[in-house]
């Protein structure tokens, strides 16, 4: 038995092309390329440090309501 020769591989290639056709093989290879690209993009995104945005708290005097103001609005 031994290893496969070039003729064996050519026969296998012809059979695969007959079974699947040229269009399906190119579609599968295109989908595989998209998968590899998204995988690499995912790895690159993981390497970047994640920054979390801190909420901005603005304590303006107009935002603070005192209890005296509440009593005045209830009385009127």
């Amino acid at each position: 038995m031994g290893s496969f020769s070039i003729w064996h591989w050519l026969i296998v290639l012809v059979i695969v092309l007959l079974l699947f056709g040229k269009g399906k093989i190119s579609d599968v290879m295109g989908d595989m390329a998209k998968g590899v690209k998204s995988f690499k993009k995912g790895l690159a995104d993981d390497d970047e440090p994640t920054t979390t945005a801190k909420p901005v708290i603005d304590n303006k005097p107009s935002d603070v309501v005192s209890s005296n103001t509440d009593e005045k609005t209830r009385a009127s």
Side-chain angles (χ1 to χ4, degrees):
M1 292 276 318
S3 64
F4 292 108
S5 69
I6 189 72
W7 294 107
H8 290 107
W9 290 114
L10 288 175
I11 291 171
V12 169
L13 180 64
V14 169
I15 291 172
V16 168
L17 284 175
L18 288 174
L19 289 176
F20 295 109
K22 183 181 174 184
K24 277 191 176 181
I25 292 174
S26 65
D27 290 343
V28 169
M29 295 307 288
D31 291 341
M32 183 181 288
K34 288 179 186 176
V36 169
K37 284 181 184 178
S38 73
F39 178 74
K40 286 182 180 181
K41 182 179 178 183
L43 287 178
D45 289 345
D46 288 344
D47 290 342
E48 294 176 2
T50 56
T51 58
T52 57
K54 295 181 182 179
V56 177
I57 299 173
D58 190 15
N59 293 329
K60 294 179 183 176
S62 62
D63 292 341
V64 179
V65 178
S66 67
S67 60
N68 293 337
T69 309
D70 289 338
E71 292 173 7
K72 290 178 185 177
T73 57
R74 287 184 198 160
S76 49

